[in-house]
Amino acid sequence: MDAVEKANAERQRRWAKDQKIGEGTYAVVYRGREVATGRKVAIKKIKVGQFKDGLDMSAIREVKYLRELKHQNVIELLDVFSSKMNLNLVLEFLDTDLELVIKDRSLVFLPADIKSWMAMTFRGLEFCHRNFILHRDLKPNNLLIAADGQLKLADFGLARDFADPGYKMTCQVITRWYRPAELLFGSRYYSTAVDIWSVGCIFAELMLRTPYLPGESDMDQLKTIFRALGTPTEEEWPGHTKLPDYVPVGQFPKTPLRDLFTAASADCLNLLSKCLIYEPRRRISAKEALNHPYFFALPYPTHPSKLPKPAPKRSSLLPLEELDGNAEPNSSGPGVKANPPNKLKRKHSEDGMNERSKSIARRLDFSQ
Amino acid sequence: MTADIASPAAESSTAVRTTLYEASTQYRHWRYSLEQLAHTRAALNTAAVSAIQEAFESDEPGSSSSVSFLNADEEHLLVKLYVGKISQLCGHFRFPEEVEATAVTYLKRFYLKNTVMDWHPKNVMLTALFLATKTTNHPISLEAYTSHIPKTAPSDVLDLEFLVAQSLGFDFAVWHAHRSLWGLWLDVQSLPDAPLDDLRASYDTALKYVRASRLTDAELVYTPSQIALACLSLASPSLASTWVRSKFPDPEITDPPVLGVIEPIKTLILADGSPPEVEAVREVDRRLKLCKNPEKVVGSKAYLKKREEEERKADEKRRRKADVIKRAMEDGDPFGSELAGRTALDDDDDDDED
């Protein structure tokens, strides 16, 4: 066996796949564990053989950038190995995502909670931008949440380095509801500001508990944006009518953010409005946002471990070991329920304290 | 009030701040000393020769004694020739410099994990370049790519793609000296008394040296910015030292240490930065035909034997798996018990659903 194959086989043996937790066009995701420690991981198996141009671009992007990025607020790529013609990405296991949190009607968000999620989002994004990487697909469902409450940017399948000035980039990026007007107008030269717009939409969604700008088509998206924030004027956004796909979509008046976000503080609305400035060059940067008075004013951000989290689901869909006495943090010991006779004894990792919340399989979207 | 209050999750203050470059896979996985490089290549060559000798012997006992295998230097010479070919191909396709530089890096890194006697650089070069177009975000369809290269089928490129990616350890991001040089060039223009007329010419000359440096091991030993500065210094020693001194305005520091670091780089580029002698390489390539690994030659006895062995193993695996399912069926549970299911899963990494 070649040295390269041998090294790969060794890496492969470090990880075990346990159970399928999601499936998309490009990949299947398994819950798995590190064999030596029992640490829980997610293994994303990307099918390679089926593409006529070989390794697929979104897999390449994801691997390329996650290999380089190590930050508390960016999902960690622990390992990469191949099995036959599949590429396996070993990622840290994360319990849930911000979309599920927002949708869980039983949860109440305090202003301090929202501040905490925003701080973590900006911190992860600032790190990407500092590394000259655009994410280009920020949305609540790509902001994953760890057992300890840490929020992590995930899904780098559309990410890229900033282009040099004068280099064209595609404007077909970012999920529609989170896409800024400059991309909808077909701008091929853009920068970090596109990600900031998405964060602004997420910020608003955290307060509203429903998507802020849910357009039904690309054209309707512009209308939805303008209806909410007013049609931009030439003064506000010089030159936007010259963008390649510019179309007038009607005149809408500006309504103050205050009318919709009635409970928000002045600082909060100020930061939100700076994320949603039409002129990309005037939009706030991630670094400036982190220094915005909002983050320094009372109430201080909630500690990540105290953030609201969806309750664990205890349905029959769970695999048996989840219902085993070992998984109950407060149980008096194993044997509360008899172990099924054929069940393998499983090692539980140190994060066993969070077993209660571990069982939410995150929804995966590989359609991009 | 500090940022920590607004940053409940701030990294602990004891954490050492690493620069972006030091956090990169290039810094962490692909830096060697010249001695380490020589050692790595020699060890790889020795291991390859003994493995291939064995393959020859199992193909036909006694057949390896007459074979003259390549040594590490000869392997390196051949790789160097194909580094040069990447530039030619990139010119043909009008690929941006980033694609070219990335492909060159991939090819060099590949041969720090593999031997030319297993994988001929001609094929690896084509795959490395194709992969580089994708990793640098300048994708081209495989068909368009191979149709412009004589005697090359899409499968020639694709068959090796996985092996190449694997050999690179999936470290696709590369930091290049030409980018550093670009930064230097922007920077020197703001020097107080920059001789603007000569600047452009110095940059062009320096860029030529950067391109020459791709034929050397410089990028495996030095940082991109060190290489770029060395190239600027080759083009215009006074400009380079003026720039360096502007970065060390402290009069106490009369000789910034970086000026010492770039001297060996300059020597390396001048000594190794030209394409190899074609005749010498031709001789190596001729011998390679006789000493390449028979297990990688489609149709040879050794190749067939290895295939057979692989198939036998896969067969065994399938049979074990079928057994497990059969037993489960007999137990009355058509989906298998959890135990059985897990055994099968652990056993076979590629589950049936693909």
Side-chain angles (χ1 to χ4, degrees):
Chain A
M1 202 194 276
D2 295 0
V4 172
E5 276 175 52
K6 231 179 252 167
N8 179 65
E10 253 161 50
R11 280 209 301 275
Q12 182 171 350
R13 273 196 295 276
R14 280 186 61 198
W15 312 100
K17 283 175 191 159
D18 284 334
Q19 186 199 13
K20 196 199 263 192
I21 54 176
E23 177 152 22
T25 338
Y26 295 87
V28 182
V29 178
Y30 297 87
R31 198 186 54 194
R33 74 206 124 86
E34 185 171 23
V35 173
T37 63
R39 174 190 184 177
K40 265 205 299 179
V41 297
I43 300 178
K44 188 167 173 177
K45 185 173 87 179
I46 298 169
K47 304 163 192 170
V48 173
Q50 62 183 9
F51 302 107
K52 77 169 173 45
D53 289 330
L55 277 172
D56 144 74
M57 282 296 286
S58 69
I60 281 181
R61 286 177 173 135
E62 182 138 38
V63 173
K64 175 180 175 186
Y65 296 116
L66 288 183
R67 274 311 252 184
E68 306 294 320
L69 295 172
K70 284 238 167 354
H71 186 272
Q72 195 167 26
N73 299 114
V74 175
I75 190 169
E76 188 179 354
L77 177 63
L78 300 163
D79 207 351
V80 185
F81 64 88
S82 53
S83 50
K84 288 183 202 152
M85 282 304 273
N86 293 318
L87 189 59
N88 292 267
L89 313 190
V90 183
L91 296 154
E92 61 178 320
F93 188 88
L94 299 165
D95 292 311
T96 183
D97 65 62
L98 201 59
E99 184 183 10
L100 289 174
V101 174
I102 290 171
K103 281 189 172 156
D104 187 332
R105 289 283 148 195
S106 68
L107 302 176
V108 176
F109 297 176
L110 300 172
D113 299 338
I114 294 174
K115 195 174 287 188
S116 180
W117 284 315
M118 289 310 293
M120 293 188 281
T121 306
F122 274 126
R123 222 176 285 127
L125 186 60
E126 189 275 329
F127 183 71
C128 295
H129 289 174
R130 195 172 354 129
N131 278 281
F132 310 103
I133 294 166
L134 306 176
H135 185 285
R136 304 199 301 179
D137 197 18
L138 290 175
K139 53 183 171 182
N141 142 291
N142 282 340
L143 301 177
L144 306 191
I145 294 177
D148 63 0
Q150 283 293 340
L151 177 150
K152 318 223 174 204
L153 272 55
D155 200 340
F156 282 69
L158 279 174
R160 65 159 292 159
D161 316 274
F162 306 173
D164 275 336
Y167 256 103
K168 279 188 176 178
M169 294 184 269
T170 170
C171 53
Q172 299 296 326
V173 288
I174 307 186
T175 303
R176 190 192 303 125
W177 297 348
Y178 305 91
R179 199 183 302 158
E182 66 265 26
L183 293 185
L184 293 159
F185 281 147
S187 175
R188 311 292 302 272
Y189 307 98
Y190 52 85
S191 185
T192 53
V194 296
D195 285 335
I196 297 292
W197 180 276
S198 308
V199 175
C201 297
I202 296 165
F203 194 2
E205 188 165 336
L206 280 167
M207 293 189 266
L208 299 169
R209 301 295 293 266
T210 182
Y212 177 43
L213 302 168
E216 278 161 16
S217 62
D218 286 3
M219 189 54 76
D220 184 58
Q221 185 62 36
L222 279 165
K223 232 181 212 166
T224 309
I225 294 172
F226 296 165
R227 216 179 280 130
L229 297 162
T231 305
T233 62
E234 185 62 26
E235 228 167 44
E236 254 182 303
W237 185 7
H240 73 277
T241 55
K242 305 275 192 318
L243 286 172
D245 302 337
Y246 173 79
V247 272
V249 287
Q251 287 300 314
F252 298 94
K254 269 181 208 356
T255 43
L257 288 174
R258 167 64 64 211
D259 292 2
L260 186 60
F261 303 92
T262 47
S265 71
D267 281 333
C268 173
L269 289 190
N270 184 278
L271 176 56
L272 176 63
S273 68
K274 286 186 166 155
C275 296
L276 298 174
I277 289 173
Y278 283 123
E279 156 73 281
R281 278 166 293 194
R282 288 177 39 224
R283 212 171 288 154
I284 198 166
S285 72
K287 194 173 178 188
E288 289 160 354
L290 285 169
N291 287 307
H292 191 276
Y294 168 68
F295 289 115
F296 297 86
L298 287 167
Y300 295 143
T302 309
H303 191 272
S305 63
K306 306 247 168 21
L307 285 166
K309 251 180 134 171
K313 285 204 183 76
R314 287 261 163 204
S315 71
S316 55
L317 288 171
L318 288 181
L320 284 171
E321 85 264 17
E322 301 278 4
L323 299 169
D324 164 18
N326 288 342
E328 288 287 355
N330 302 320
S331 77
S332 49
V336 173
K337 281 188 191 98
N339 281 350
N342 58 356
K343 205 188 77 66
L344 283 179
K345 258 284 183 256
R346 302 276 311 291
K347 225 192 262 174
H348 283 286
S349 53
E350 303 76 51
D351 63 17
M353 292 308 286
N354 293 302
E355 292 292 340
R356 278 195 307 140
S357 47
K358 76 176 185 178
S359 50
I360 292 90
R362 75 180 181 91
R363 217 187 67 209
L364 291 146
D365 180 6
F366 297 104
S367 56
Q368 295 297 316
Chain B
M1 188 170 307
T2 66
D4 275 334
I5 291 171
S7 326
E11 291 153 67
S12 84
S13 53
T14 55
V16 185
R17 279 225 161 222
T18 48
T19 64
L20 292 184
Y21 178 68
E22 284 171 356
S24 69
T25 50
Q26 178 161 334
Y27 181 88
R28 290 182 289 128
H29 304 156
W30 300 100
R31 272 183 334 139
Y32 301 79
S33 66
L34 285 169
E35 296 73 33
Q36 282 170 331
L37 273 181
H39 176 79
T40 303
R41 288 181 178 134
L44 201 59
N45 178 264
T46 311
V49 168
S50 72
I52 297 169
Q53 250 164 354
E54 216 170 276
F56 267 113
E57 291 300 319
S58 78
D59 203 15
E60 210 182 312
S63 63
S64 75
S65 55
S66 59
V67 178
S68 128
F69 291 96
L70 301 188
N71 65 31
D73 288 339
E74 289 163 336
E75 288 202 45
H76 185 54
L77 194 68
L78 196 59
V79 174
K80 191 172 170 181
L81 179 80
Y82 283 94
V83 166
K85 301 242 174 194
I86 289 179
S87 304
Q88 290 171 17
L89 260 180
C90 286
H92 175 75
F93 280 105
R94 294 171 198 272
F95 286 145
E97 183 126 29
E98 195 193 0
V99 175
E100 176 179 337
T102 304
V104 166
T105 304
Y106 288 176
L107 190 67
K108 288 187 201 164
R109 290 182 181 179
F110 180 87
Y111 286 108
L112 290 173
K113 306 282 174 190
N114 297 279
T115 164
V116 300
M117 291 179 278
D118 277 352
W119 311 105
H120 197 286
K122 175 181 177 292
N123 306 81
V124 176
M125 177 267 289
L126 293 177
T127 305
L129 180 55
F130 182 66
L131 185 61
T133 62
K134 291 194 279 184
T135 59
T136 57
N137 210 15
H138 295 94
I140 165 175
S141 84
L142 182 60
E143 214 199 323
Y145 181 68
T146 51
S147 66
H148 284 90
I149 307 171
K151 287 185 262 171
T152 305
S155 66
D156 294 338
V157 174
L158 227 44
D159 288 351
L160 288 180
E161 189 180 44
F162 217 59
L163 176 75
V164 172
Q166 217 173 53
S167 302
L168 299 174
F170 302 99
D171 294 340
F172 294 140
V174 184
W175 298 57
H176 295 299
H178 73 268
R179 297 291 299 166
S180 299
L181 182 65
W182 178 254
L184 274 178
W185 190 63
L186 295 178
D187 215 21
V188 292
Q189 292 172 62
S190 60
L191 286 176
D193 32 43
L196 283 173
D197 294 342
D198 303 339
L199 272 186
R200 183 80 223 188
S202 302
Y203 172 74
D204 290 342
T205 311
L207 188 56
K208 286 202 186 91
Y209 283 114
V210 165
R211 289 176 179 150
S213 81
R214 291 197 192 121
L215 291 163
T216 74
D217 284 333
E219 64 175 307
L220 299 166
V221 181
Y222 302 98
T223 69
S225 48
Q226 288 169 341
I227 298 168
L229 186 60
C231 293
L232 186 64
S233 178
L234 281 170
S236 166
S238 65
L239 188 60
S241 72
T242 311
W243 179 82
V244 170
R245 280 174 217 291
S246 76
K247 296 289 162 187
F248 295 91
D250 185 349
E252 295 285 302
I253 306 172
T254 47
D255 240 343
V258 67
L259 287 175
V261 174
I262 62 175
E263 286 312 314
I265 309 179
K266 289 159 73 171
T267 314
L268 184 63
I269 293 172
L270 292 176
D272 281 355
S274 44
E277 192 85 46
V278 178
E279 268 316 305
V281 189
R282 197 167 287 161
E283 167 64 16
V284 170
D285 201 26
R286 194 186 55 77
R287 274 174 48 217
L288 176 57
K289 286 199 180 71
L290 303 172
C291 69
K292 65 185 168 191
N293 190 347
E295 285 181 357
K296 314 282 183 196
V297 181
V298 181
S300 78
K301 266 189 236 163
Y303 176 88
L304 293 174
K305 200 165 161 193
K306 195 168 185 210
R307 267 295 141 87
E308 242 170 54
E309 177 68 10
E310 278 166 9
E311 265 170 35
R312 194 185 54 74
K313 275 188 191 152
D315 233 32
E316 210 170 83
K317 220 168 175 184
R318 266 196 297 276
R319 212 168 317 122
R320 266 208 313 272
K321 202 165 170 178
D323 274 354
V324 167
I325 293 167
K326 201 169 128 206
R327 235 180 299 131
M329 294 283 271
E330 283 163 2
D331 285 349
D333 178 359
F335 299 104
S337 65
E338 208 201 343
L339 176 63
R342 179 155 293 115
T343 314
L345 218 87
D346 278 350
D347 182 45
D348 187 359
D349 197 70
D350 284 77
D351 321 297
D352 319 33
E353 63 270 4
D354 356 355

